[in-house]
Amino acid sequence: PRVNISSHKRSEAVVSTQSTGEDDQVTITVCIEDHKYNPNNFWNGKWKSKWDVKFPTAGGYAKVEGTMSAQVHYYEDGNVQLLSNKAVEESVQISSPNEGADNVVAFIKKSETEYQMAINENYTSMSNTTFKALRRNLPITQTLIDWHKLHGFQVGKDIMNKS
């Protein structure tokens, strides 16, 4: 059966499938890739996932193994990168070809959505805790230092001349 597994992804995603058969088992490999380059807003991101669906030719249950990978790079006023991977697996019922295809697609969609939501929650949490801890506090004057004006100060030179 023909199944549209990219219906839950952005329309720019690339989906590729390949099948192989050995003895009593058929393996279908599904690869999904999408990327967004946004230099105007100083970030890039890439999503990749690979799914191996192994099932007996007689039907029954298919074993679905997947690996998902997200890579994000944010580079305005700093350089923050995320590279995250997750592997999942599940047995999916395939009493008919159409039902089996629908169940596999549903598992892929559920897994990718849960993974993406977990990454989003992690970033929100890190923004409120980890990233704030990394930021430098303001000096005692509670004003930012204009580093471009510091070259005019000769404190170190004045001290050297007095000694």
Side-chain angles (χ1 to χ4, degrees):
R2 184 167 276 242
V3 178
N4 180 9
I5 71 166
S6 64
S7 63
H8 68 283
K9 305 297 281 178
R10 290 191 14 234
S11 61
E12 295 88 9
V14 176
V15 179
S16 175
T17 60
Q18 177 181 346
S19 64
T20 59
E22 293 180 17
D23 301 326
D24 297 6
Q25 181 172 295
V26 175
T27 301
I28 298 174
T29 301
V30 179
C31 298
I32 303 171
E33 191 276 341
D34 196 6
H35 57 271
K36 177 74 175 172
Y37 301 116
N38 196 335
N40 293 337
N41 291 315
F42 306 101
W43 67 267
N44 301 316
K46 181 172 25 175
W47 177 274
K48 294 188 296 186
S49 61
K50 179 183 177 220
W51 301 90
D52 290 319
V53 184
K54 300 176 182 176
F55 56 93
T57 55
Y61 283 86
K63 181 177 182 182
V64 182
E65 298 176 320
T67 56
M68 300 167 282
S69 171
Q71 182 176 3
V72 180
H73 181 206
Y74 180 75
Y75 50 90
E76 181 180 23
D77 294 331
N79 191 4
V80 178
Q81 294 191 50
L82 165 77
L83 179 56
S84 176
N85 299 294
K86 183 176 182 179
V88 294
E89 67 178 63
E90 174 117 354
S91 290
V92 174
Q93 186 171 1
I94 54 167
S95 57
S96 73
N98 286 335
E99 180 191 22
D102 289 343
N103 289 342
V104 168
V105 170
F107 174 67
I108 291 172
K109 181 177 181 177
K110 177 182 167 249
S111 298
E112 290 191 352
T113 300
E114 288 175 354
Y115 179 49
Q116 187 170 0
M117 295 303 294
I119 291 172
N120 290 344
E121 289 172 14
N122 190 26
Y123 255 112
T124 301
S125 173
M126 287 176 61
S127 178
N128 294 331
T129 56
T130 307
F131 289 146
K132 282 186 180 179
L134 291 173
R135 291 187 186 118
R136 188 175 353 159
N137 291 327
L138 289 173
I140 199 165
T141 61
Q142 295 298 307
T143 57
L144 294 175
I145 296 173
D146 186 350
W147 293 101
H148 299 290
K149 291 183 180 177
L150 279 181
H151 76 291
F153 295 115
Q154 299 181 2
V155 175
K157 193 184 246 185
D158 292 343
I159 292 173
M160 292 297 289
N161 289 338
K162 289 184 179 179
S163 47

